């Protein structure tokens, strides 16, 4: 139990550090606009009305695209690096009894290549699923528009929903496959086959196991957003910033626990004898 | 013209003449002061000038998208000079072919970049003047703008004899109008029809006897004299009709519906017909508001009506009562978006997708309030939209922003996810970005493109007025604009009249400032530079008058006293007064005033602590300031920790999606 807690905390801490790394270039660019010369500092950027938010955006208009590209590349690199603590988390969740540390880390390291392969494949598949969904939506929207339907945009909404649902199914399969890679020691391909098998044969169990933590995650993000809105960092007081930091990190930690809850369920699902036997 | 219609035309022409007789030739600069209440405002309509009045009948062929029109145009020579010719605008001919001024640009049709997908045109069959022995004037027609030989939107008709000042002319007209597939504001989309600028429209006559006529430019709008409109619209019985004015008669039979609309003291008439319209009705501030919208847009309709519930009485208080009994609001269906966002007298069009507003944006409210405010700045105050578009679009944009700021506060453009964005903030940024591209008071056709026109005429004008309000006081600006709107009700003022109204209320220097801002691309940017601090000193050296003392006096510093200074620079031509905030290292604040004269101002500070921060215009009054981010300087700037925190959280969430 202790190792699981440590593994979840480590996973969260590294994600949080990754988030900070992604934010640093943005903060540096904002600092360069001169907002720090004002006595209010970057509190101005959060003021109702957004006078300075728009002004800073205007100043940074030319650098937004390169900044976004850099951030995306950095986020992808970080996402791949986070496979290592994720592997440790999965191994910790899969252990009935805590193994000695060297064995634990050895096992975690051994699963990294398969998890990396599954991560890359999963991300690519999710992109394809999203693209297909939105393309279908776009086509439907065109058809609706030609038929003078009152809501031609419904096609787009349906497309987004379809793309999102497909991406979600891919994500669930990816997670089950990762669990299979850790539980059964499969390579990438074997893990994927096992993950698909699990999804097809145990979808009734997999769906609620996924949806419960997912809803909890969404709820924690919404509650966090409401709390942060109430705290209102545009008003004076360093304590507000500290409180918002605590709330956001608390949400991040809650997300890590929700993810662990789902991963634990996915481990149980792929560990079923009926799945493992095939 | 059929004989039945002739009888109707004769009877109605009598009514129009009665109104026309009330018009005094030559008095077009300023109408009587606006009345204080709505009842008086409605009575005022009967006494408003009527230079060009129209009694028309329009029959829509929904299959060919043609409107067969005929009727009577009643014209009064309200000028001081005899007239040898008349000028008509045939705006629909802008869509006749790709050699028209409107369509010949390869970059699309101005405001929307859209191209005409089906040709539209107007064919005048006859124009007979009763007082001139019924002679058909149309064969004498010439191109009213010889510089545009291929354009057919501006037509001159020569009279067989001059029309004396005060003399009236009754013109029997017959025409056919083919609508294009909807482009910009007019045309058809499926069985939806929006019919604007569809009849031969007399150009505006100045008191000097010159017609203000021009070919239809894609960036320009319209200009006409006030008059009465009595229009009977004949459509298939399944169609719902919306139009300028008050519906006074409805008849059905033979699968057709005939609706008659009357409007007094307006300068245009537009209408729409579509079988798919749903309706909502609400009485707002004594005005019967009728909302026409497609299925699935009930929420949009309610949002628009709610916006009007605030904006209509608010505008009436600010700029004089809305005098008309009705207001029709049209939300075009999908596929006819280009009919949206347009103003006509007592009829406005909104628009937007069904999901507008769900995520917190106020797009529906924005377009609805904007078009409503045009009822004053364009409608009641009838400026030349082609020559000085800032007079209507600029004032309307400011009035719209003001109305929305009062109604929705800081979230006037968007409120959601804990953030609030104001229309004023966005307009300011756009204004600053393109402030030097062209003079603000340019003619619509003189702007290098519609993006520049929009940035300057809409956003920069609004920001200019907002700056005046913040610098001189909101009440004073409101009084000035209110006085202008009331004084020139049912009149045709130009920039000089607006500047005079502002100068009278805001004080000396305003006219000069406006000349720079409107005509000379005047800009302003306040910058704080060089915050310096040194300990205060008791002077040393050879201090006697001759300077020949053998032993110099030793200078010394005064304990805990500091002398600081900072340089505040004004770039640009616009001199606007500003406050300057001086903050020392203990947080003590001193405020100084600079009237903005001269290129720079050195601020001195003596105190117990060194100067830490200097901020110019701390209350953000000068929204015209090109760059707000150089308005402060400090000896040690703070780190953007809130940005870092928010970015780190966003990054964490991004990794939750992208990561394992």
């Amino acid at each position: 139990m202790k190792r699981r807690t440590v593994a979840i905390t480590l996973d969260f801490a590294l994600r949080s550090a990754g988030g900070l790394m992604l934010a640093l270039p943005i903060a540096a660019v904002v600092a360069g606009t001169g907002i720090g010369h004002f006595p209010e500092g970057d509190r101005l950027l959060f003021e109702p009305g957004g006078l300075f938010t728009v002004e800073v955006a205007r100043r940074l208009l030319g650098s937004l695209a390169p900044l976004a590209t850099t951030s995306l590349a950095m986020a992808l690199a970080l996402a791949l690096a986070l496979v290592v603590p994720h592997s440790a988390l999965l191994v910790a969740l899969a252990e009935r009894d805590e193994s000695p540390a060297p064995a634990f880390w050895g096992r975690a390291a051994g699963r990294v290549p398969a998890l990396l392969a599954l991560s890359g494949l999963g991300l690519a598949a999710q992109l394809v699923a999203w693209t297909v969904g939105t393309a279908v939506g776009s086509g439907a929207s065109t058809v609706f528009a030609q038929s003078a339907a009152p809501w031609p945009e419904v096609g787009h909404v349906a497309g987004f929903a379809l793309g999102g649902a497909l991406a979600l199914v891919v994500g669930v399969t990816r997670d089950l496959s990762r669990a299979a890679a850790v539980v059964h020691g499969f390579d990438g391909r074997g893990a994927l086959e096992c993950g698909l098998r699990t999804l097809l044969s145990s979808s009734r169990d997999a769906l609620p196991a996924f949806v419960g933590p997912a809803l909890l995650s969404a709820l924690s993000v919404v509650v966090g957003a409401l709390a942060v809105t109430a705290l209102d960092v545009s008003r004076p007081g360093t304590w507000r910033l500290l409180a918002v930091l605590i709330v956001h990190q608390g949400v991040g930690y809650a997300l890590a626990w929700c993810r662990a809850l789902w991963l634990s369920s996915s481990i149980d699902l792929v560990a079923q004898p009926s799945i493992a036997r095939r | 013209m059929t004989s039945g219609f002739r009888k109707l035309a004769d009877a109605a022409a009598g009514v129009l003449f009665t109104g026309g007789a009330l018009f005094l030739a030559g008095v077009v600069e300023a109408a009587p002061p606006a009345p204080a209440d709505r009842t008086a405002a409605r009575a005022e309509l009967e006494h408003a000038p009527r230079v060009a009045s129209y009694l028309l009948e329009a029959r829509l062929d929904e299959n060919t998208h043609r409107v067969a029109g005929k009727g009577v145009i009643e014209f009064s020579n309200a000028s001081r000079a005899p007239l040898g010719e008349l000028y008509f605008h045939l705006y629909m001919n802008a869509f006749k072919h790709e050699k028209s001024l409107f369509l010949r640009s390869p970059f699309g049709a101005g405001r929307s970049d859209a191209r005409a997908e089906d040709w539209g045109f107007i064919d005048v069959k006859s124009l007979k003047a009763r007082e001139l022995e019924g002679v058909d004037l149309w064969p004498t027609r010439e191109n009213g703008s010889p510089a545009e030989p291929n354009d057919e939107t501006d037509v001159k008709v020569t009279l067989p004899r001059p029309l004396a000042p005060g003399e009236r002319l009754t013109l029997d007209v017959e025409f056919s109008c083919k609508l294009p597939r909807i482009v910009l504001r007019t045309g058809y989309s499926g069985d939806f029809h929006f019919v604007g600028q569809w009849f031969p429209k007399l150009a505006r006559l100045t008191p000097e006897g010159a017609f203000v006529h021009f070919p239809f430019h894609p960036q320009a709008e319209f200009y006409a004299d006030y008059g009465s409109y009595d229009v009977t619209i004949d459509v298939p019985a399944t169609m719902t009709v919306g139009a300028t004015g008050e519906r006074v008669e409805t008849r059905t039979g033979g699968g057709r519906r005939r609706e008659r609309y009357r409007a007094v003291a307006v300068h245009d008439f537009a209408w729409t017909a579509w079988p798919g319209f749903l309706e909502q009705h609400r009485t707002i501030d004594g005005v019967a508001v009728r909302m026409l919208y497609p299925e699935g847009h009930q929420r949009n309709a309610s949002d628009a009506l709610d916006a009007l519930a605030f904006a209509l009485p608010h505008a009436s208080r600010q700029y004089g009562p809305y005098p008309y009994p009705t207001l029709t609001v049209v939300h075009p269906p999908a596929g006819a978006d280009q009919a949206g966002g347009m103003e006509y007298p007592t009829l406005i069009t909104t628009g937007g997708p069904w999901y507008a507003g769900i995520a917190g944006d106020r797009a529906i409210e924005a377009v609805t309030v904007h078009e409503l405010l045009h009822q004053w700045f364009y409608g009641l105050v009838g400026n030349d939209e082609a020559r000085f578009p800032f007079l209507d679009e600029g004032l309307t944009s400011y009035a719209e922003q003001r109305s929305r700021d009062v109604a929705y506060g800081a979230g006037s453009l968007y409120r959601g996810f804990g953030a609030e964005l104001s229309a004023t903030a966005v307009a300011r940024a756009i204004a600053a970005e393109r402030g030097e591209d062209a003079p603000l008071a340019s003619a619509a056709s003189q702007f290098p493109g519609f993006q520049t026109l929009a940035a300057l005429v809409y956003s920069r004008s609004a920001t200019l007025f907002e700056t005046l309000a913040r610098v001189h006081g909101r009440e004073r600006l409101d009084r000035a604009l209110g006085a202008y709107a009331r004084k020139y009700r049912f009149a045709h003022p130009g920039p000089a009249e607006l500047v005079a109204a502002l100068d009278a209320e805001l004080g000396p220097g305003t006219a000069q400032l406006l000349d720079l801002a409107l005509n000379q691309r005047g800009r302003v940017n306040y910058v704080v530079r060089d915050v310096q601090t040194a300990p205060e000193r008791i002077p040393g050296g050879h201090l006697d008058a001759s300077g020949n003392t053998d032993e110099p006096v030793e200078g010394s510093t005064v304990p805990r006293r500091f002398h600081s200074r900072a340089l505040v620079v004004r770039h640009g031509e616009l001199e606007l007064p500003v406050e300057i905030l001086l903050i020392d290292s203990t947080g003590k604040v001193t405020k100084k005033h600079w009237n903005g004269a001269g290129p720079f101002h050195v601020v001195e500070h003596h105190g117990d602590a060194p100067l830490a921060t200097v901020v110019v215009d701390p209350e953000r009054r000068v929204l015209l300031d090109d760059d707000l981010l150089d308005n402060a300087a400090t000896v040690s700037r703070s780190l953007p920790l809130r940005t870092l925190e928010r970015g780190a959280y966003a990054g964490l969430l991004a990794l939750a999606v992208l990561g394992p």
Side-chain angles (χ1 to χ4, degrees), chain A residues 15 42 55 58-59 248, chain B residues 428 433 626-627 643 645 660:
Chain A
R15 282 170 191 270
D42 71 340
E55 188 68 350
R58 183 170 78 93
R59 172 73 69 83
H248 278 158
Chain B
R428 196 218 81 77
E433 200 61 25
D626 278 346
D627 185 354
T643 309
E645 191 282 326

Side-chain angles (χ1 to χ4, degrees), chain B residues 223-237:
Chain B
Y223 194 33
D225 272 307
Y226 289 94
S228 301
Y229 285 76
D230 186 326
V231 180
T232 301
I233 298 163
D234 183 336
V235 297

Side-chain angles (χ1 to χ4, degrees), chain B residues 11 69 93 168 220 241 417 443 556 558 570 660:
Chain B
N93 281 342
R168 294 193 299 261
V241 175
F417 300 103
S556 62
V558 181
R570 178 179 57 76

Side-chain angles (χ1 to χ4, degrees), chain B residues 190-213:
Chain B
D191 51 1
F192 169 80
H193 294 80
F194 197 95
V195 190
Q197 310 303 339
W198 54 284
F199 55 93
K201 193 169 166 189
L202 274 161
R204 149 110 171 103
L205 178 65
T206 67
E208 293 74 32
F211 280 94
V212 183
H213 61 99

Side-chain angles (χ1 to χ4, degrees), chain B residues 29-103:
Chain B
E29 288 85 357
D37 62 75
R38 189 167 308 286
T39 310
R42 291 200 177 144
E44 168 200 27
L45 291 177
E46 299 302 324
H47 300 282
R50 298 183 191 188
V51 178
S53 294
Y54 298 78
L55 173 72
L56 299 174
E57 184 167 284
R59 181 184 168 90
L60 174 69
D61 183 330
E62 74 280 17
N63 297 313
T64 60
H65 313 295
R66 284 176 184 262
V67 176
K70 56 189 174 183
V72 177
I73 302 173
E74 163 65 8
F75 173 69
S76 196
N77 180 4
S79 77
R80 293 185 285 265
L83 300 176
E85 68 270 321
L86 303 176
Y87 282 85
F88 286 87
H89 283 133
L90 305 180
Y91 291 116
M92 198 61 81
N93 281 342
F95 313 111
K96 190 172 183 180
H97 51 67
E98 288 183 323
K99 287 185 176 180
S100 74
L101 177 60
F102 199 100
L103 290 184

Side-chain angles (χ1 to χ4, degrees), chain B residues 590-621:
Chain B
T590 312
K591 196 182 267 191
K592 299 204 172 189
H593 179 79
W594 178 28
N595 63 9
F600 61 83
H601 183 66
V602 177
V603 280
E604 304 272 354
H605 178 263
H606 297 268
D608 301 336
L611 194 58
T613 302
V614 177
V615 185
V616 64
D617 192 23
E619 290 165 6
R620 333 291 179 221
R621 289 178 175 166

